[in-house]
Amino acid sequence: MSDASAQRWLVAGLGNPGPEYAGNRHNAGFMVLDELAARVGGRFKAHRSRAEVVEGRLAALPVVLAKPLSFMNLSGGPVKALADFYKVTPDRVIVVHDELDIPYGALRAKTGGGDNGHNGLKSITKSLGTRDYPRIRFGIGRPPGRMDPATFVLRDFATAERKDLPFLVDRAADMVESLMTAGLEATQNRFHAADLNPAKPPR
């Protein structure tokens, strides 16, 4: 086994804890992490870092799956605590989150960059001390009309959206595995051309 294959990954899905938030657009990250936990064959358990975690192997690689329980705007504390606890460097911390600036039906992988006003990312960047960590961006689109984005993200996916939601969650989980095994460029080349939505936001 090579050193690289022995190194653990940390995958953090962003969302808000509690059943009242479970179907929200803002909880897309939690939805993807539930799918990954099913693939690992584990159940989330409380961790002292203020997160629920599953430890196991994903794509034959050691991984910790995490759902911070601190509410979205304070996600950085638990993610940093887990990275320290498991000795995972930021370049192996994959954050899965909802993204307003990408249309629903599109998924994007990237490393680094800004937070686009996403408070969960803002908190993680501050806590890790770097923005250079990989992300899976789950497109939710912009709110209709003059709706406040803060209201929009805390609403459940619409009925029409829910039809494709399981497919998109599954595909986002595939992207996490691809990032771990094939790297960023290969993941972008494989997945960015396969949107449900024909609109193509920038990579």
Side-chain angles (χ1 to χ4, degrees), residues 13-198:
L14 302 191
N16 290 310
E20 66 271 33
Y21 298 105
N24 288 180
R25 293 180 177 91
H26 224 15
N27 273 43
F30 275 16
M31 297 175 192
V32 176
L33 265 286
D34 286 339
E35 168 60 25
L36 290 170
R39 296 183 184 192
V40 167
R43 300 183 65 173
F44 283 100
K45 297 179 180 178
H47 189 274
R48 67 189 190 194
S49 63
R50 291 182 300 149
E52 291 182 339
V53 303
V54 172
E55 297 182 45
R57 298 186 79 83
L58 185 65
L61 299 174
V63 67
V64 177
L65 307 175
K67 296 195 291 188
L69 300 180
S70 56
F71 286 93
M72 179 66 81
N73 294 0
L74 300 174
S75 298
V79 171
K80 177 66 162 65
L82 286 168
D84 290 346
F85 182 84
Y86 290 103
K87 298 180 173 58
V88 179
T89 54
D91 62 306
R92 297 178 79 86
V93 177
I94 300 174
V95 177
V96 186
H97 65 93
D98 59 301
E99 177 60 70
L100 283 162
D101 288 336
I102 296 175
Y104 184 75
L107 302 165
R108 291 289 180 268
K110 69 178 290 189
T111 293
D115 53 57
N116 286 355
H118 194 294
N119 289 328
L121 290 179
K122 191 177 300 183
S123 176
I124 289 171
T125 295
K126 181 178 179 181
S127 294
L128 291 180
T130 180
R131 59 182 58 179
D132 293 329
Y133 51 89
R135 304 116 186 247
I136 297 295
R137 306 159 77 199
F138 192 109
I140 61 171
R142 302 297 303 183
R146 303 179 70 174
M147 183 186 293
D148 184 351
T151 300
F152 179 70
V153 300
L154 293 176
R155 291 194 173 178
D156 286 0
F157 285 100
T159 301
E161 293 173 328
R162 287 198 292 270
K163 174 172 63 75
D164 293 317
L165 188 57
F167 168 80
L168 293 169
V169 167
D170 187 67
R171 193 163 184 82
D174 288 345
M175 291 178 73
V176 170
E177 292 196 37
S178 179
L179 271 182
M180 293 169 57
T181 58
L184 178 64
E185 184 176 357
T187 300
Q188 291 174 332
N189 290 339
R190 176 182 171 191
F191 290 94
H192 284 196
D195 300 338
L196 290 177
N197 191 311

